[in-house]
Amino acid sequence: ASFAGVVVVAIVIDGKGGMPVDPEVSLIGLPEADRDGVLFQDRVEDAVDGVWDSLPKAKRRDLETVREAMKKAVRAEVNMRWGKKPIVDVVILEL
């Protein structure tokens, strides 16, 4: 599965259900850009932001819901743009 790459997303969630700092994204074994010339780093960051913005505040406090939603969105985005499904790990730090 390593040929499909690995994506690691690290986020911080505070006690109010907020994300006080931007997510950190690490891509291993993915092309730099997709066929449209857009950086995968940007695609993944946009997918993570999209999930966060779509989650109601109550759901943002459920770490497993956040983790699974982000994993699915990132994997789907990379698959749609590259045709491969990377391993995705979402690390959540609670403040």
Side-chain angles (χ1 to χ4, degrees):
S2 61
F3 63 89
V6 176
V7 179
V8 179
V9 177
I11 65 169
V12 176
I13 298 177
D14 65 22
K16 299 175 187 168
M19 191 164 45
V21 294
D22 290 337
E24 288 291 323
V25 173
S26 178
L27 308 174
I28 303 155
L30 274 72
E32 189 172 339
D34 65 17
R35 59 184 162 266
D36 296 324
V38 178
L39 295 176
F40 268 107
Q41 184 82 22
D42 293 340
R43 294 284 192 200
V44 170
E45 288 172 2
D46 288 348
V48 168
D49 289 341
V51 167
W52 185 256
D53 291 344
S54 72
L55 286 172
K57 216 160 200 171
K59 294 264 188 197
R60 292 177 181 179
R61 293 184 183 167
D62 180 349
L63 303 187
E64 205 48 46
T65 295
V66 172
R67 182 177 286 114
E68 284 306 310
M70 288 190 177
K71 280 175 87 165
K72 285 179 185 172
V74 168
R75 194 169 169 150
E77 181 68 20
V78 173
N79 187 38
M80 182 173 68
R81 306 287 177 181
W82 189 34
K84 295 184 181 182
K85 295 177 182 173
I87 295 168
V88 179
D89 189 24
V90 177
V91 179
I92 301 175
L93 176 67
E94 283 185 282
L95 287 183

